[in-house]
Amino acid sequence: METLPINPVGEKNVSEPQQQWGRNPKKSLNSTTQTRQQPQEPEVLELRVSPALASQILEIPQGAGKLAAVLEDAEESRGSAGEMPEPLRASDLWACPDGSFVKKIIIRGHGLDKPKLGSRCRVLAFGFPFGSGLPEGWTELTMGLGSWREGTWGELTEKCLESMCQGEEAELQLPGHSGPPVRLTLASFTQGQDSWELEASEKEALARQERARGTELFRAGNPEGAARCYGRALRLLLTLPPPGSPERTALHANLAACQLLLGQPHLAAQSCDRVLEREPGHLKALYRRGVAQAALGNVEKATADLKKVLAVDPKNRAAQEELER
């Protein structure tokens, strides 16, 4: 390898002064004397060579330049580390108890309060699939009220908001959902109430609203939305002291009709059981439980329920046709 004539840092070139000494010894002597009397800081010579030539001289291994760049970037990012959010922990993942979604916290909120029934939430939302019925961007959503809760995404959004603190930003990850995750930011919310804090009359009024909306959806051919409304109404009434509200009987019967249409005979049979515990002769519940038991392959139970219906209403054509099947 060829070695270039490079002077070490802080060392002067002595060849040129020797030539000057030969030309004018006296002048050089005076100059030398002045230099000794007035010591100067050592001169630092800068080495200016091309990167390619420097790599040949110093024998820099291949790829070291990339490593230096990475280290340089890391050093720059270290200065702004205080501005970056804390790394995610296991506690930043929250699974909804019913298994419908997993929430990943992107930015933690502050405080302990969370939206409750009646809270007006200022929300920034992105990523809803087309046709979800929910608005993108900034919007205001009221917990427990409004048609925005009727669809699948509305129900998931409400469940997610119930678990968020003010200022929190999170992603919703759904099992089997191939699209991008939905991102929600809860900017602010007003104070609401837990269902147990409501008066009995307030709970019954809200339950009647949910039931009426559920019936509208059922008649419009939306059993899924209707089932959500009936379910929310039942959750409100279940917190009433015994004997409870008589509305529960009709709500369970209506919920069973939705569950049959949704292909959930097991749940439909359970809903009918709730009705028949309170009213053993409820014909609609007997018929629907008979249909559910037939779908589950329980022929004897289905036959018994359908015969009870026909014993009270011999002209019930639906029960006759189901019994023949």
Side-chain angles (χ1 to χ4, degrees):
M1 180 179 68
E2 182 182 358
T3 304
L4 297 181
I6 302 176
N7 295 324
V9 176
E11 185 176 323
K12 295 187 177 181
N13 191 334
V14 297
S15 59
E16 185 175 350
Q18 287 178 352
Q19 295 175 1
Q20 294 177 356
W21 181 275
R23 295 172 187 170
N24 194 342
K26 186 176 181 180
K27 183 177 180 180
S28 300
L29 181 60
N30 295 336
S31 176
T32 303
T33 304
Q34 294 176 1
T35 302
R36 290 178 180 175
Q37 293 175 352
Q38 299 178 1
Q40 299 179 358
E41 296 181 0
E43 181 180 357
V44 179
L45 301 180
E46 296 183 0
L47 176 62
R48 299 184 181 274
V49 294
S50 65
L53 183 57
S55 63
Q56 294 180 8
I57 298 170
L58 303 177
E59 298 184 357
I60 298 176
Q62 185 177 3
K66 295 182 180 179
L67 177 60
V70 171
L71 294 175
E72 192 173 316
D73 292 342
E75 188 66 27
E76 292 178 358
S77 63
R78 189 179 303 171
S80 59
E83 302 175 0
M84 297 176 62
E86 299 178 24
L88 289 176
R89 300 174 297 186
S91 59
D92 293 326
L93 294 176
W94 179 82
C96 186
D98 61 7
S100 57
F101 68 92
V102 173
K103 181 185 74 169
K104 181 173 76 171
I105 300 175
I106 306 301
I107 298 176
R108 298 188 190 94
H110 52 273
L112 299 176
D113 292 336
K114 298 176 182 179
K116 301 177 182 178
L117 182 64
S119 293
R120 293 192 302 275
C121 303
R122 181 69 173 165
V123 180
L124 178 62
F126 290 106
F128 288 119
F130 180 77
S132 66
L134 291 175
E136 295 268 319
W138 286 106
T139 186
E140 186 173 287
L141 304 174
T142 302
M143 303 294 289
L145 299 173
S147 59
W148 66 274
R149 308 155 57 237
E150 293 170 1
T152 301
W153 285 100
E155 182 181 23
L156 295 175
T157 300
E158 186 172 44
K159 290 178 182 178
C160 185
L161 291 175
E162 288 175 348
S163 70
M164 297 176 70
C165 298
Q166 184 170 338
E168 181 178 324
E169 182 177 343
E171 286 183 351
L172 276 69
Q173 300 173 342
L174 276 65
H177 178 61
S178 58
V182 173
R183 179 165 293 200
L184 296 175
T185 302
L186 179 59
S188 62
F189 61 91
T190 61
Q191 188 67 30
Q193 290 180 299
D194 284 317
S195 59
W196 57 267
E197 296 177 303
L198 299 175
E199 298 291 337
S201 59
E202 294 176 311
K203 295 178 183 179
E204 291 176 340
L206 288 173
R208 284 194 294 270
Q209 293 178 14
E210 293 285 2
R211 178 185 174 183
R213 182 56 182 164
T215 302
E216 291 178 7
L217 293 172
F218 186 85
R219 291 173 178 171
N222 184 1
E224 188 175 5
R228 292 193 187 94
C229 291
Y230 295 143
R232 286 193 289 260
L234 283 168
R235 285 193 292 273
L236 285 167
L237 297 179
L238 285 174
T239 59
L240 294 177
S245 171
E247 288 277 332
R248 292 170 53 185
T249 301
L251 286 168
H252 277 298
N254 292 350
L255 182 59
C258 297
Q259 291 164 335
L260 285 174
L261 292 175
L262 293 172
Q264 301 168 341
H266 182 69
L267 295 178
Q270 291 180 348
S271 296
C272 291
D273 288 341
R274 302 292 182 273
V275 176
L276 296 170
E277 287 172 1
R278 301 171 69 93
E279 293 186 26
H282 198 288
L283 293 184
K284 289 184 178 180
L286 284 170
Y287 168 74
R288 290 166 186 167
R289 190 173 69 174
V291 174
Q293 295 290 4
L296 293 170
N298 301 324
V299 179
E300 293 183 1
K301 292 182 178 180
T303 302
D305 283 337
L306 294 171
K307 285 183 176 180
K308 289 179 182 178
V309 174
L310 292 173
V312 178
D313 184 10
K315 296 182 179 180
N316 191 315
R317 182 172 296 181
Q320 291 174 354
E321 293 177 353
E322 187 65 32
L323 185 61
E324 292 174 0
R325 272 197 298 270

